[in-house]
Amino acid sequence: LDKVAAVFNGYKRMTITHDRPIVVSTQFSRAAGKRGKEGSLENISFSDAIAMNSSIVLGLKEGQPPYQTSRRELEALKGREGESGTVAFNYKFTPMDFTEVRPDQVEAEAADMDWMG
């Protein structure tokens, strides 16, 4: 854990020194549940230094039911400048389709599912 913290502290110094962004990927810990379903800043694997040193943290999660396998959601978990929100997109390989699912489409689908509850 100390080594991971040292690496991310170094990344932070590099971004400040060179005035350039650095994009890094990691994964959620097992505490986030299956496929990061309950992913948050608290359960990013390896170190709290990752969330502390990051200006923006995005979580990639399964789509909402019944689209768990055919969609993904990109959620802003942290935005130092107030960035927030979620973007849903198709997650299909045959045929390839990674297009954004419009917010109005997501809302309409949710409304259609309400009758089942």
Side-chain angles (χ1 to χ4, degrees):
L1 298 177
D2 291 336
K3 290 180 182 181
V4 173
V7 168
F8 277 84
N9 290 336
Y11 285 154
K12 180 75 171 193
R13 279 190 301 277
M14 284 174 45
T15 62
I16 292 169
T17 302
H18 299 290
D19 193 28
R20 295 284 183 266
I22 295 177
V23 177
V24 178
S25 67
T26 186
Q27 62 190 35
F28 291 118
S29 67
R30 288 187 188 105
K34 184 180 176 187
R35 300 192 187 270
K37 186 174 181 179
E38 302 300 323
S40 66
L41 292 177
E42 290 77 29
N43 50 30
I44 294 174
S45 286
F46 303 118
S47 176
D48 290 337
I50 296 170
M52 288 181 2
N53 285 324
S54 300
S55 295
I56 297 174
V57 177
L58 303 173
L60 184 61
K61 302 177 180 185
E62 284 184 340
Q64 296 296 316
Y67 302 104
Q68 299 95 316
T69 59
S70 62
R71 288 193 186 157
R72 293 293 180 263
E73 292 182 353
L74 191 63
E75 178 184 357
L77 302 176
K78 174 186 176 182
R80 197 160 294 204
E81 302 294 324
E83 299 87 354
S84 64
T86 301
V87 176
F89 58 94
N90 292 305
Y91 187 69
K92 300 175 186 172
F93 290 91
T94 308
M96 191 171 288
D97 180 6
F98 296 111
T99 57
E100 180 180 353
V101 179
R102 297 180 325 274
D104 59 326
Q105 181 182 350
V106 173
E107 289 173 18
E109 290 167 351
D112 286 344
M113 295 294 289
D114 281 345
W115 70 270
M116 295 174 72

